[in-house]
Amino acid sequence: MTTVPLTAPPGDETADPGEAVPAEPAAEPAPPVGILELSERVVASVLTRFPWIFRASEILLAVCTLVCLVAVGTRLSALPLTPIPLFVVAWLFLRRLRAAETRARQLRWSVLTALAAMVGFWLISVMGRWLSVS
């Protein structure tokens, strides 16, 4: 029966501990990363793990635009048209995000897309509040 010394790497089944291959030195720890690098990694990993997120975002923007158009007909006012340019800008940013190749550009376009969509959602709520008062 042969024994494997604890210092032997996996697969090294030498019987004599003196013949064992020395273990490799531990690699230096990775340098600490900042919030920007961490954000870029998170966005890149989300975009690669969930490729359907682009289509879902386009559908969401289209539904919100459709809601605004329906609100124009039901409220008989042009005020609900206000968020539509922001949804169009968010869609354009989403197209740029899909074409982005580097992590930095992916982060930039995803933040701009989210910001434009959030301001559009906020405008929908403001328009709803203004139209419900009048």
Side-chain angles (χ1 to χ4, degrees):
M1 178 162 117
T2 59
T3 59
V4 180
L6 294 177
T7 59
D12 187 10
E13 298 178 5
T14 56
D16 184 17
E19 296 176 6
V21 179
E24 294 180 18
E28 295 182 20
V33 295
I35 190 74
L36 182 64
E37 290 86 5
L38 182 63
S39 302
E40 289 174 356
R41 287 182 185 179
V42 168
V43 167
S45 68
V46 166
L47 292 178
T48 55
R49 285 186 185 167
F50 305 110
W52 50 265
I53 203 162
F54 296 110
R55 179 64 64 194
S57 300
E58 286 178 345
I59 291 171
L60 180 70
L61 290 172
V63 166
C64 289
T65 303
L66 184 64
V67 166
C68 291
L69 292 174
V70 169
V72 169
T74 58
R75 296 289 185 165
L76 299 176
S77 171
L79 242 92
L81 293 175
T82 308
I84 290 179
L86 287 167
F87 293 141
V88 170
V89 168
W91 179 76
L92 291 173
F93 288 159
L94 187 65
R95 301 297 283 182
R96 294 279 184 137
L97 173 61
R98 183 179 282 184
E101 295 177 0
T102 63
R103 286 183 176 177
R105 288 187 180 182
Q106 287 177 344
L107 177 66
R108 178 184 311 138
W109 292 119
S110 64
V111 167
L112 288 173
T113 301
L115 187 64
M118 284 189 293
V119 171
F121 293 144
W122 175 77
L123 275 177
I124 285 177
S125 69
V126 169
M127 294 303 136
R129 200 173 327 128
W130 284 352
L131 290 176
S132 66
V133 171
S134 53

